Amino acid sequence: MNATTRRVALEDSPESFWERFSSYAQSWPVSPEPMGSPMLEVLTPWGPLFVFDRALTPFSGEETPLIFHGQVERWEEATEAPTIEHLGGGRYLVRGRVGDVLDAQYFVLQVESPNDEKNLQMILAAPSPPGPGTPVRAYLAPPLMAFRPDAYSR
């Protein structure tokens, strides 16, 4: 007999996710994308992040508040410097320090900038989040997502 693991829905809707976590939004520059593309190229001190845009309306600006959200496949304590590495195929490795633990499955990962620029924070989901202040290395399942406000303020 094969056991099947059912994943629990992490959000009711993009609107409710934005409402719940909007205090963690940060403004970032975004490269223009072709009309209709679900991907945004966000410019960060670690290089571009290619994120799945959860908004329904096309983005045509230069900078916007974003909430980055990822699902953790696995995490472990880390000793290396904070970073964000694109592993290909929509997968990312992120290293940083746990800020807030929001509930039994969500936590905020703070990624310090390599050159004293702006730090980045992500809302990550994991079955067993690490404790506050823990330095972690987290492997994220694709896609890394971004939520933005202009889609939900109408």
Side-chain angles (χ1 to χ4, degrees), residues 60-121:
S60 60
E62 294 177 359
E63 187 167 312
T64 187
L66 297 170
I67 301 170
F68 295 108
H69 172 53
Q71 289 184 278
V72 176
E73 290 184 319
R74 73 180 194 279
W75 67 266
E76 53 207 28
E77 287 198 35
T79 56
E80 304 94 349
T83 193
I84 301 171
E85 295 178 34
H86 185 230
L87 301 176
R91 295 183 183 282
Y92 282 90
L93 166 63
V94 294
R95 289 193 303 263
R97 185 169 301 278
V98 176
D100 298 326
V101 175
L102 305 173
D103 62 25
Q105 69 180 14
Y106 288 110
F107 67 97
V108 179
L109 186 70
Q110 304 282 347
V111 184
E112 293 180 19
S113 173
N115 47 11
D116 295 326
E117 289 181 43
K118 184 180 194 175
N119 295 337
L120 182 139
Q121 52 191 8

Side-chain angles (χ1 to χ4, degrees), residues 15-47:
E15 297 86 354
S16 66
F17 192 90
W18 177 263
E19 287 173 17
R20 181 173 178 195
F21 299 115
S22 62
S23 64
Y24 295 98
Q26 297 174 289
S27 287
W28 291 97
V30 178
S31 289
E33 293 298 320
M35 186 62 85
S37 172
M39 301 302 292
L40 294 177
E41 183 178 345
V42 183
L43 307 176
T44 74
W46 302 269

